[in-house]
Amino acid sequence: MFAATRRARIAGVLAGYLADLALSDPKRGHPVAAFGRTAAALEPFTYRDTKPAGALHVGLTVGALTMLGAVAARCPGALAAATWVCLGGTSLARTGAEMARLLECGDVDGARRLLPSLCGRDPARLDGAGLARAALESVAENTSDAAVAPMLWATAGGVPGVLAYRGVNTLDAMIGHRSPRYIRFGWAAARLDDLANYLAARVTAALVVACAPFVSGSASGAARAWRRDAARHPSPNAGVVEAAFAGALGVRLGGPTQYEYGLQIRPTLGDGPPPTVADLRRAVGLSRVVQAAAVLSVALLAYRRRP
């Protein structure tokens, strides 16, 4: 019974991954966007410039989403559908590839318009080199956040688990940053997202080490940069994945990072030169391979002998 349930869950995760690979994100009425609109509509009622108010906001929104997932889990195909809508790996890779195409064509304005689809930096302050670095760092971080982590949470927690994860990750993107409005109110969302992504970031980095040779990268460089540089990053998870990508691709990430709410000086990750558009393309390829390796690892769980 246990093995059958486990295999059914893994089959649902695999089906969700294949749906993301074939269809990418839903074109209309994306449930994640609907959750974001609901959370934004609730914020005027819950907002106070305090950590407890932010914790209440997270508890109400993610709690409701988790209960919805528990009810939906009874429906056939629910896990496949939930995994599909919570994954963003194919969209991430396509957007990264489109960013590389625009930069190769010299269309810096077009690349600036596209950047908000990848990250929250201020594109108006970035030139072509800055856009390439921002896109590469976002591809690296979101390989974990938008691909590997949802697969792990769907495998471990089923429909409620993967929906709760996506809710936490969405709230972190909305309110988990260090702007004056959210530095206290968004604290709970940011810390919960750190916890939810802790294992996934390290699994992703390990897969980057293993998969680096598939894009003519360095496995030893990825492991070395992860071990040496990750702890210097302000995020306990983004630094792990970005350092591994930097070492694998032989580039240097980090440095001045401009957001709409202010400038951050990020630590240097990796030893090489600043990334080029060609490096961004390699990062997209590495992201795709890591995603495939992650789902293959999940599939192998179905054949693991029961203790």
Side-chain angles (χ1 to χ4, degrees):
M1 180 66 179
F2 175 83
T5 301
R6 184 183 64 205
R7 290 180 182 178
R9 179 173 290 184
I10 291 173
V13 174
L14 295 179
Y17 168 79
L18 292 174
D20 178 66
L21 199 62
L23 305 173
S24 188
D25 290 327
K27 297 295 185 269
R28 295 181 181 179
H30 200 303
V32 175
F35 171 80
R37 289 192 298 269
T38 302
L42 180 64
E43 187 178 320
F45 301 98
T46 57
Y47 181 82
R48 303 289 186 277
D49 191 17
T50 65
K51 292 180 180 179
L56 175 64
H57 184 73
V58 173
L60 290 174
T61 52
V62 176
L65 190 62
T66 305
M67 288 190 290
L68 177 63
V71 173
R74 304 169 187 171
C75 302
L79 182 56
T83 303
W84 171 42
V85 301
C86 290
L87 281 172
T90 297
S91 178
L92 172 69
R94 289 178 179 175
T95 305
E98 177 63 11
M99 177 67 77
R101 186 192 70 79
L102 291 170
L103 292 173
E104 283 174 342
C105 295
D107 188 358
V108 174
D109 289 337
R112 285 172 175 156
R113 288 191 295 270
L114 182 62
L115 187 66
S117 299
L118 284 170
C119 61
R121 301 184 193 182
D122 185 357
R125 297 174 180 264
L126 297 176
D127 58 8
L131 289 164
R133 189 199 114 197
L136 197 157
E137 290 174 353
S138 180
V139 167
E141 180 179 3
N142 284 295
T143 298
S144 176
D145 289 8
V148 177
M151 282 189 238
L152 294 180
W153 277 101
T155 303
V159 178
V162 71
L163 291 185
Y165 167 75
R166 181 48 69 198
V168 168
N169 191 245
T170 301
L171 287 177
D172 177 60
M174 294 174 66
I175 66 173
H177 43 78
R178 291 184 168 273
S179 66
R181 176 177 174 84
Y182 292 125
I183 192 167
R184 283 177 286 274
F185 184 75
W187 179 87
R191 297 292 77 76
L192 192 56
D193 184 73
D194 287 344
L195 182 62
N197 279 295
Y198 188 87
L199 176 61
R202 284 143 186 87
V203 170
T204 304
L207 291 173
V208 169
V209 172
C211 296
F214 287 95
V215 294
S216 302
S218 170
S220 62
R224 182 171 58 252
W226 172 13
R227 182 177 61 252
R228 185 192 62 204
D229 299 336
R232 301 205 304 258
H233 197 282
S235 167
N237 300 324
V240 169
V241 185
E242 289 179 23
F245 263 77
L249 299 173
V251 299
R252 184 177 71 250
L253 301 178
T257 304
Q258 182 69 50
Y259 294 92
E260 291 185 2
Y261 55 84
L263 177 68
Q264 292 186 11
I265 305 299
R266 295 287 177 84
T268 298
L269 308 173
D271 296 316
T276 64
V277 178
D279 295 318
L280 174 57
R281 285 204 176 275
R282 291 172 66 214
V284 171
L286 181 56
S287 176
R288 290 186 184 274
V289 175
V290 166
Q291 293 176 47
V295 78
L296 178 61
S297 299
V298 169
L300 291 175
L301 291 175
Y303 298 98
R304 183 173 62 88
R305 184 176 299 175
R306 179 181 176 182

